[in-house]
Amino acid sequence: MSLSIDWSKLYSARNIVKSRFPSIWKIPLVKKEMAVIEKFLRPNLRILEVGAGDRRMGDAIKKNSPSVIYHSFDIDDSLYHDFYNIDSIEGDFDLIFGFELIEHLTPNDGLVMISKLKKHISKDGRLILGTPNLYHPHRYFGDITHITPYKYEELGSLVILGGYDVVGFYRKFNDSFLMRILRLYLLIWLHKFLNIDFATTVFVEAKPSLQD
């Protein structure tokens, strides 16, 4: 499967996202990745994690909801995974998620990945992707293996091109009680004035488009 980004369509999709979600500061905060996942958890939920690494997220999910059916995909064959090649993935899933993955791909490769994943999402399923928040001053630049930076509106536009509808976004910020008070209440005006976010990660929640 070979896809090439149509930049005019990307621009149009970005405008759609910005019209619905005009500011990073309107995006709700969560403390951890699990807060994004756990609202979907139910008995026998079928989950696929892409870029699963050591599967620690799967372990956390199974601890919270033992009856979920968890599968993992990763190209690293030094660890156990259910799938090592995206074309070998089988079955449908109610939730597919990948954290800290899309930024390691070129935009075209990212589009190919999420387009292929769409074939494995159930009718009412969800795709959740997380990436370093580009409004944070240095979060993205802390890893030399990062290839593509995404603002939330760019991430949203890419999933639209991949055949999804954007449901919403989240921002991750987890710190001590004192620092949360400082950031969220005392210094928030300065962050907004400088347009520098303290949240380290952004997540997009998407569903298969009914127009496809």
Side-chain angles (χ1 to χ4, degrees):
M1 182 179 187
S2 178
L3 290 176
S4 180
I5 288 180
D6 184 321
W7 297 105
S8 63
K9 290 182 178 179
L10 183 70
Y11 178 79
S12 297
R14 185 191 306 136
N15 288 339
I16 291 172
V17 174
K18 285 293 285 185
S19 67
R20 291 184 55 205
F21 307 94
S23 170
I24 188 74
W25 305 107
K26 299 293 185 181
I27 297 175
L29 290 168
V30 295
K31 286 187 177 182
K32 296 181 179 180
E33 289 86 351
M34 186 58 70
V36 182
I37 297 296
E38 61 186 5
K39 71 174 187 175
F40 299 102
L41 296 183
R42 55 175 170 77
N44 300 314
L45 185 80
R46 297 163 297 174
I47 296 177
L48 173 67
E49 181 179 7
V50 296
D54 59 8
R55 291 169 55 107
R56 71 177 64 183
M57 184 61 70
D59 294 338
I61 290 171
K62 295 287 285 186
K63 183 177 181 180
N64 281 8
S65 187
S67 68
V68 302
I69 302 167
Y70 171 85
H71 289 82
S72 65
F73 158 59
D74 201 298
I75 62 172
D76 182 1
D77 60 7
S78 68
L79 299 170
Y80 171 79
H81 294 287
D82 300 284
F83 311 106
Y84 295 98
N85 186 300
I86 195 167
D87 294 317
S88 69
I89 296 174
E90 297 178 347
D92 292 336
F93 300 91
D94 305 302
L95 176 64
I96 298 179
F97 71 89
F99 300 145
E100 309 293 328
L101 170 65
I102 191 91
E103 67 274 9
H104 293 274
L105 306 174
T106 66
N108 282 339
D109 287 344
L111 179 59
V112 168
M113 181 189 74
I114 62 177
S115 298
K116 288 184 175 183
L117 291 175
K118 183 173 177 285
K119 297 186 296 184
H120 299 285
I121 297 181
S122 61
K123 179 181 178 182
D124 298 317
R126 291 290 190 271
L127 172 72
I128 299 175
L129 297 174
T131 192
N133 182 8
L134 209 57
Y135 286 89
H136 188 281
H138 57 77
R139 176 68 175 81
Y140 173 81
F141 300 100
D143 187 336
I144 63 170
T145 66
H146 289 170
I147 295 174
T148 305
Y150 288 94
K151 289 185 176 181
Y152 75 91
E153 56 267 38
E154 298 285 358
L155 184 61
S157 62
L158 193 72
V159 300
I160 289 175
L161 263 59
Y164 300 80
D165 293 327
V166 173
V167 177
F169 293 93
Y170 309 90
R171 297 151 58 219
K172 187 182 81 169
F173 173 61
N174 191 17
D175 211 328
S176 66
F177 175 77
L178 181 60
M179 288 303 297
R180 286 182 66 84
I181 293 297
L182 187 66
R183 297 291 190 192
L184 295 176
Y185 300 102
L186 300 181
L187 294 180
I188 187 64
W189 65 270
L190 181 60
H191 282 284
K192 289 183 176 181
F193 176 76
L194 297 174
N195 208 27
I196 295 177
D197 198 2
F198 43 78
T200 56
T201 305
V202 292
F203 308 94
V204 62
E205 176 188 340
K207 63 181 181 180
S209 175
L210 297 177
Q211 296 180 357
D212 287 4

